[in-house]
Amino acid sequence: MILELDCGNSFIKWRVIRSEGASIVGGGVVDTVSALIDAVRGLRGPVPGRCRLVSVRTEEETTSLGQALSQAFGLSVVSARPAKALAGVTNGYDDYERLGLDRWLALLGGYHLARRACLVIDLGTAVTADYVCAAGEHLGGFICPGMPLMRNQLRTHTRRIRYDDLAAERALSSLVPGRTTVEAVERGCALMLHGFVLTQLEQAQALWGEDFTVFVTGGDAALVQNVVPQARIVPDLVFVGLAMACPLD
Ligand SMILES: Nc1ncnc2c1ncn2[C@@H]1O[C@H](COP(=O)(O)OP(=O)(O)OP(=O)(O)O)[C@@H](O)[C@H]1O
Ligand SMILES: CC(C)(CO)[C@@H](O)C(=O)NCCC(=O)O
Ligand SMILES: [K+]
């Protein structure tokens, strides 16, 4: 059994796969390491013997997370590392080590699945878009605030924007002009993301015509699904790249 982790800024996405055949035994989203340990303990079957992870957290946080896991389960932990090139893809950053590893793995995964030019959009705490041409060259990308950051900035920096998560979820059932604060904010931020995604599509079309694949991943992928009906929604795209960057044989 292999424990796989995608440690984002807000959440840890985890899953356990079988070493043989890579079928998925269990998985989920947690917000703390102790919740992760409980969740993995709660699985039936043998405890995973190995762990591979990608983290965009600090070196210290990532090390301490790895230590907590090896203590809890006695497993060995490998972390994805920055690379200038891997699996036919070259990192497009001036300083390749600065490219977020979640972005790197998602674009490795996307290029591996598409085998042609791709636009990879990840909607999490931050929203990112990355471009890989047909020859596997990463052309760079864009970073902007995701839905959680946009709404929290408004809540934090205004006095009269206050609402709870349930109201927020309900407000997104439609995108017509809001008649309450929660509707106005939630729909406004959702439309910001729509605009971002549409602009990325235009750029990709300008570069590659119709010869490219769009991948959408991340916890908020559903928010833009209707804007890019042609997109491949691949929730585990980072894990596809993780298996490529950290093969465990
Ligand atoms: N089961 C879930 N648990 C937590 N968040 C979820 C879940 N499903 C969807 N989301 C949404 O996903 C978003 C978080 O995205 P995601 O989990 O991809 O990344 P993250 O860990 O917050 O950040 P990063 O972009 O650094 O990976 C939140 O806006 C949240 O509303
Ligand atoms: C942009 C995020 C936060 C997205 O998770 C992550 O990829 C990151 O911290 N990247 C480092 C900065 C960069 O990619 O240029
Ligand atoms: K992410």
Side-chain angles (χ1 to χ4, degrees), residues 16 51 53 74 100 104 128 134 149 174 184 200 211-212 217 222 228 238:
V16 171
C51 170
L53 67 83
W104 174 237
T128 59
L149 288 183
S174 135
Q200 303 309 318
D211 280 342
F212 67 96
T217 189
V228 268
V238 170

Side-chain angles (χ1 to χ4, degrees), residues 97-127:
E97 292 181 302
R98 299 273 170 188
L99 174 66
L101 281 169
D102 53 347
R103 296 172 61 194
W104 174 237
L105 296 189
L107 67 91
L108 281 181
Y111 186 73
H112 173 75
L113 296 177
R115 289 282 149 214
R116 63 174 187 158
C118 35
L119 165 63
V120 179
I121 300 174
D122 187 338
L123 299 106
T125 304
V127 169

Side-chain angles (χ1 to χ4, degrees), residues 172-246:
L172 282 172
S173 59
S174 135
L175 288 173
V176 302
R179 288 174 180 274
T180 61
T181 301
V182 61
E183 287 176 0
V185 171
E186 289 294 310
R187 293 174 191 175
C189 294
L191 290 179
M192 294 271 288
L193 293 184
H194 286 195
F196 177 85
V197 167
L198 287 173
T199 305
Q200 303 309 318
L201 276 182
E202 280 170 20
Q203 299 222 42
Q205 274 156 0
L207 283 167
W208 303 316
E210 298 302 320
D211 280 342
F212 67 96
T213 302
V214 188
F215 289 95
V216 179
T217 189
D220 281 326
L223 281 179
V224 301
Q225 208 166 345
N226 296 336
V227 187
V228 268
Q230 72 274 41
R232 289 176 67 173
I233 312 284
V234 183
D236 63 355
L237 195 59
V238 170
F239 287 136
V240 175
L242 181 62
M244 296 164 68
C246 303

